Amino acid sequence: MPEYGYFLATEEFGPAELVEQARMAEQAGFEALWISDHYHPWNAAQGQSPFVWSVIGALAEAVSLPVQTAVTCPTVRMHPAVVAQAAATSAVLTGGRFRLGVGTGEALNEHILGGAWPPVHIRLEMLEEAVQIMRNLFTGAEVSHQGTHYTVEKARLYTVPDEPVPIDVSGFGPKATALAARIGDGFATMTPDETLVSHYRKGGGGGKPVSGGVRVSYGPDRDAAARRARALWGHQLLPGEVGQILPTPRHFEQLDPLVTDGAAAAHFTCGDDVDEHVRTLTAFTDAGFDRVYVSQIGPDQRSFFDFYRTKVLPQVQGAPPASPQGTG
């Protein structure tokens, strides 16, 4: 049976709001949490970006759900040895309920220290080396490493979980998917692409978990929901490598006119049609995904959780419809 989780958007909400959403997600019947790891939001309308590791510490106390970053870039803004310490501590705090999702990142978050933003083939090399370093540190042994991109000198993590932190690798194209299949404990992506899943499985992913994330804009007014989706997440419709190479929220805002409300309505699930929301989730499971994480766009979180608890999750989880009482 697939697992359905909630995707916490650090770009849109402050730390206290994220913790409250996690509580509502657990009460609504979601089974796990994803949480984004950003230094900047994508645009000023989103308006937030708390430090994810602080929020995970709060989540460990607030809920009993598994937590995973979606995703952390352990290569430029933070050295992999430091990410390893953060991940190991998160795993200890959550009682082993933490997975580390990693990817090659975006200039939006990683350029802040002033270095050059590497081309994609170098970023993939860096990610592979970073994963090797983190796995070595998760053993609790002293680690020294002199590699192509990183140096580690006699580092040891003294606070480690009983089992090494699982590392899932994200991918949106064939090269990153092949890397995920070769080095990851799981695979993560944002579209229900059966071909990518097949490439992952055949490339070495085997029976390892495949996770997908999707954003929806629930609300009684479909047009208003589409406008909200475009204003907050319209950048997801920009083509090519734009999302990886633009350095600031201001640059993404300059491209706002390229995305229309109609395009947003076609791309995102908008409104309150139960069947449409169910189809959005089952598209992932039909494509072979084991875990699906959904995120509500915008501030009307409580109504979203009530809607999913009473009408959507019972259908995809195969349970009888829930009673119409509130989530909190």
Side-chain angles (χ1 to χ4, degrees), residues 7-8 10 33-37 52 55-56 59 67-70:
F7 190 173
L8 297 165
T10 60
L33 298 171
W34 259 11
I35 185 167
S36 53
D37 180 1
V52 71
V55 179
I56 290 171
L59 294 175
V67 181
Q68 178 170 0
T69 54

Side-chain angles (χ1 to χ4, degrees), residues 84-108:
Q85 185 183 29
T89 299
S90 297
V92 171
L93 277 173
T94 59
R97 293 178 285 110
F98 177 76
R99 296 179 75 93
L100 177 63
V102 299
T104 58
E106 306 92 13
L108 176 70

Side-chain angles (χ1 to χ4, degrees), residues 51-90:
F51 189 53
V52 71
W53 302 106
S54 301
V55 179
I56 290 171
L59 294 175
E61 293 298 309
V63 297
S64 62
L65 299 178
V67 181
Q68 178 170 0
T69 54
V71 290
T72 293
C73 179
T75 59
V76 178
R77 172 171 41 112
M78 289 179 67
H79 191 284
V82 178
V83 176
Q85 185 183 29
T89 299
S90 297

Side-chain angles (χ1 to χ4, degrees), residues 28 37 154 158:
D37 180 1
K154 296 180 180 178
Y158 282 83

Side-chain angles (χ1 to χ4, degrees), residues 234-235 238-239 242 246 249-259:
H235 66 275
L238 297 172
V242 168
L246 294 183
R250 183 179 68 258
H251 290 98
F252 284 94
E253 290 162 12
Q254 290 169 358
L255 300 182
D256 278 351
L258 299 181
V259 180

Side-chain angles (χ1 to χ4, degrees), residues 5-21:
Y6 188 69
F7 190 173
L8 297 165
T10 60
E11 304 91 334
E12 283 192 64
F13 301 100
E17 294 172 298
L18 294 167
V19 172
E20 179 58 24
Q21 289 170 22

Side-chain angles (χ1 to χ4, degrees), residues 171-186:
F172 302 96
K175 292 181 180 179
T177 302
L179 180 66
R182 186 158 50 81
I183 70 170
D185 296 310

